[in-house]
Amino acid sequence: LPTGSKSTWRYSEALEVDLFNGPNKIRVQISAGKEGPNFDHLRIEGMPTSLAASFRNPPHFMSLIPDIDSVEFGEQDLRDAQYETEAIIDHYFYQDNVAPFLCIRIMQRFSFSNPSPRYVANCAKAFRSGLYSSGLETFGSGEYGSLEAMAASIFLDDEAIEEAILRDPSHGSIREPILKVTHLMRSMDYQTFIPATLDDNPLQATYHVKLWEIDRKIGHGPFEFPSVFSYFLPEYIADGGPTLPSRLVSPESMVVTMPNVLGLLNGMFSLIKYGLSDCNSGFSLDPGYGGECIENGMYERSFGHLFYQPNSTDITEQATELALLLTAGRLSTDSHDMIVNACSSVPDQAGRVRCMQQLIVTTGEFHTTNFVINSGKDRSTDTIDVESTESYKAIVYLYLDGGLDSYNMLAPHTCSPIDVYDRYRTTRGKSGISEGIGLPLALMLEIEANNPSQPCASFGIHTKLPILKQLYDDGRLNFFANAGLLAKPVAVTTFKGETPVQLFAHNDMAPETKQN
């Protein structure tokens, strides 16, 4: 086993290891005072070619012996870092959960929020084998991880192409807000256009599509992710409605808030009536010309507008044509007739088209990918409770969105007889060659503990948070450390089975803390 780097190499004697079918462990113990070894090369000979063998964890190539200086080399080498990086990537890529994980994520982005287990299994099989057959056609390269095979398994499966399944309420998804905007613009033939009513030639004849701060207006936009988890969590279940008891996930529902819904509708109405501008909460900016916002079909105050006009002059046929383009023909007969009746009194054809466009983009069929079936029941109304005369106290919950390393905000300070602070620093990486990431005492604002049943007489708050120390000292703040999310009373021996969420996953804990 050669080890070392560059000009200095050390060798140990070759080791012969017998591996048996099933799990194996290779342990190499170093004699006291000796250096190495570091596995620079590991070769297994004599393995049957029909036996699929692998390491449970990726092989470790990098030595823990650091370089001393530019002259005396240790055992850290760029080559070893490259080997180890490749080994880790391979380990992740070929992990058993990769195929179903990617299949579910991609299915959700292509309008299948709750794919069936059969659907996911077929996709995972295609990803692993690199092949997918549909009829007489075969897709894929035949290699593990073929995206062509995976995509074909998603788009050509019965669950994706059978019309009958569109009537299943659990099928499909809510559409992403930015896709609704781009769908409206593309299907209705948006074009940049400078009005001919200007007194002089414009400084610029054409413009890029200016969707100004679109993420703030509709809660969604390209390249503006609010966190590393993007806009949607794949396992998100809406806080209310029929999806809650059925436990159906709806990732896009995370941005369905009242401000975002109003921002989307106002922006689409503005685009239809005035063109792309700032008129009445539009998606863009003031173009600097055109004067007031007037709906007259001239679009004087815009960077461009929707040019589409139906082929027919009959309003019923026009509504059918618009529904085909905006809802893929899924608009219900009742909604179709209501829209025709509402817009038939508009005197001019262009005005009628704008009227129908506005009403269609408010329908459930435009905002989702499946059929919307009217139950025929009236909407339920909330009842107002009689005002109570009892005293009332509220808990105000402030949820700080983002990442927080709680052990760098509040840490043990002075503890005995168990030195919890020393354990804390060691656990956070302190060693003979590194300080780790734990808080040193110099970066703590000490506060007295108020619980004599634990070993620490005091704790420390990060020096960048003096307001928390002040509030604590004034008796206006308390800390509940290591509480987790308790849906019901549990014990150490039962919490895993009795807790309905993953306590150690940020993307699970975040929505659960908001709900509970």
Side-chain angles (χ1 to χ4, degrees):
L1 295 171
T3 184
S5 65
K6 300 183 180 178
S7 62
T8 304
W9 292 94
R10 304 180 181 91
Y11 290 84
S12 65
E13 296 181 2
L15 300 177
E16 182 176 344
V17 180
D18 292 326
L19 299 179
F20 301 93
N21 190 17
N24 290 267
K25 292 183 180 179
I26 301 176
R27 296 185 181 276
V28 180
Q29 185 171 352
I30 311 305
S31 303
K34 300 294 184 180
E35 295 180 338
N38 176 47
F39 286 91
D40 290 319
H41 179 68
L42 182 63
R43 181 179 179 181
I44 301 177
E45 297 180 343
M47 294 291 292
T49 56
S50 60
L51 178 63
S54 62
F55 288 97
R56 181 179 182 275
N57 297 312
H60 179 72
F61 293 95
M62 284 293 291
S63 171
L64 299 179
I65 302 177
D67 291 339
I68 300 173
D69 53 41
S70 59
V71 177
E72 180 64 26
F73 296 108
E75 294 194 352
Q76 292 181 347
D77 186 78
L78 177 61
R79 179 209 58 187
D80 293 343
Q82 292 171 339
Y83 285 165
E84 186 162 327
T85 301
E86 292 177 0
I88 291 174
I89 292 174
D90 285 345
H91 177 74
Y92 285 140
F93 186 54
Y94 290 99
Q95 213 273 344
D96 289 343
N97 289 332
V98 166
F101 178 89
L102 290 179
C103 285
I104 293 173
R105 298 304 187 272
I106 294 177
M107 286 173 172
Q108 287 185 331
R109 297 280 59 79
F110 282 100
S111 304
F112 307 104
S113 291
N114 296 274
S116 68
R118 180 206 59 82
Y119 194 12
V120 175
N122 285 350
C123 175
K125 180 180 178 181
F127 182 87
R128 290 166 179 156
S129 67
L131 295 172
Y132 180 79
S133 296
S134 178
L136 300 178
E137 297 292 333
T138 299
F139 302 88
S141 62
E143 298 179 356
Y144 177 92
S146 171
L147 293 181
E148 178 184 333
M150 182 175 68
S153 73
I154 294 174
F155 300 132
L156 300 178
D157 189 88
D158 289 344
E159 201 160 322
I161 62 178
E162 286 293 333
E163 181 178 348
I165 202 172
L166 291 176
R167 300 185 182 277
D168 182 348
S170 66
H171 183 71
S173 70
I174 293 178
R175 300 173 66 201
E176 299 177 36
I178 192 64
L179 295 185
K180 299 174 191 177
V181 176
T182 55
H183 177 200
L184 174 62
M185 298 180 76
R186 295 183 67 180
S187 63
M188 295 294 102
D189 191 22
Y190 172 83
Q191 299 177 32
T192 57
F193 181 78
I194 305 302
T197 56
L198 296 181
D199 295 334
D200 201 352
N201 293 328
L203 296 177
Q204 188 171 339
T206 60
Y207 293 87
H208 294 294
V209 177
K210 295 178 179 290
L211 300 178
W212 182 251
E213 294 186 341
I214 190 70
D215 58 303
R216 297 188 179 183
K217 296 174 181 177
I218 66 175
H220 190 216
F223 317 121
E224 298 291 345
F225 300 138
S227 74
V228 294
F229 298 107
S230 189
Y231 288 98
F232 319 118
L233 297 179
E235 66 278 3
Y236 179 76
I237 298 175
D239 297 340
T243 60
L244 183 59
S246 60
R247 307 304 291 174
L248 292 173
V249 302
S250 179
E252 297 79 9
S253 293
M254 289 189 68
V255 296
V256 181
T257 64
M258 187 60 71
N260 291 341
V261 170
L262 293 177
L264 177 64
L265 291 177
N266 286 337
M268 290 192 295
F269 290 168
S270 175
L271 176 63
I272 293 168
K273 295 165 65 176
Y274 310 109
L276 188 60
S277 70
D278 64 332
C279 289
N280 294 343
S281 303
F283 290 138
S284 194
L285 300 170
D286 181 355
Y289 51 76
E292 300 295 325
C293 297
I294 302 174
E295 184 188 359
N296 58 5
M298 299 298 292
Y299 309 103
E300 294 101 331
R301 181 179 167 144
S302 72
F303 294 104
H305 61 273
L306 307 179
F307 276 75
Y308 184 81
Q309 287 295 323
N311 295 319
S312 175
T313 57
D314 179 76
I315 187 171
T316 301
E317 294 179 357
Q318 289 176 343
T320 302
E321 190 173 331
L322 291 173
L324 175 63
L325 294 173
L326 291 172
T327 69
R330 291 177 286 104
L331 188 67
S332 69
T333 302
D334 290 342
S335 296
H336 178 280
D337 294 342
M338 290 175 61
I339 291 171
V340 170
N341 292 334
C343 298
S344 59
S345 60
V346 179
D348 63 293
Q349 176 170 312
R352 287 195 298 270
V353 170
R354 291 194 299 271
C355 174
M356 288 187 288
Q357 287 171 333
Q358 292 176 77
L359 293 179
I360 290 176
V361 299
T362 67
T363 63
E365 290 89 344
F366 177 78
H367 293 273
T368 62
T369 63
N370 58 355
F371 284 104
V372 177
I373 302 174
N374 192 339
S375 67
K377 299 179 181 179
D378 294 333
R379 289 181 181 268
S380 60
T381 57
D382 296 331
T383 57
I384 301 176
D385 295 332
V386 178
E387 184 177 352
S388 174
T389 57
E390 297 180 2
S391 60
Y392 174 75
K393 180 182 291 186
I395 297 177
V396 180
Y397 185 88
L398 299 179
Y399 185 83
L400 304 178
D401 198 10
L404 170 65
D405 182 354
S406 60
Y407 290 105
N408 260 24
M409 179 184 72
L410 180 70
H413 189 282
T414 303
C415 310
S416 65
I418 303 173
D419 193 346
V420 182
Y421 175 74
D422 182 67
R423 287 185 178 182
Y424 159 77
R425 291 300 303 274
T426 302
T427 302
R428 307 228 94 191
K430 184 177 181 180
S431 65
I433 59 175
S434 172
E435 286 295 313
I437 60 173
L439 279 177
L441 293 175
L443 290 180
M444 290 189 191
L445 301 173
E446 189 176 7
I447 59 173
E448 293 184 1
N450 57 8
N451 183 0
S453 64
Q454 48 83 34
C456 292
S458 65
F459 288 83
I461 298 175
H462 197 290
T463 53
K464 293 293 184 67
L465 298 169
I467 183 62
L468 296 187
K469 173 176 169 55
Q470 179 182 337
L471 292 173
Y472 181 87
D473 291 341
D474 293 343
R476 300 168 59 194
L477 174 77
N478 210 342
F479 292 95
F480 292 89
N482 201 29
L485 180 69
L486 296 179
K488 65 178 183 179
V490 294
V492 174
T493 56
T494 62
F495 83 91
K496 286 187 177 180
E498 297 293 327
T499 304
V501 297
Q502 300 182 50
L503 285 178
F504 307 106
H506 176 86
N507 56 337
D508 275 320
M509 288 292 292
E512 288 293 337
T513 51
K514 293 179 181 179
Q515 293 176 6
N516 293 280

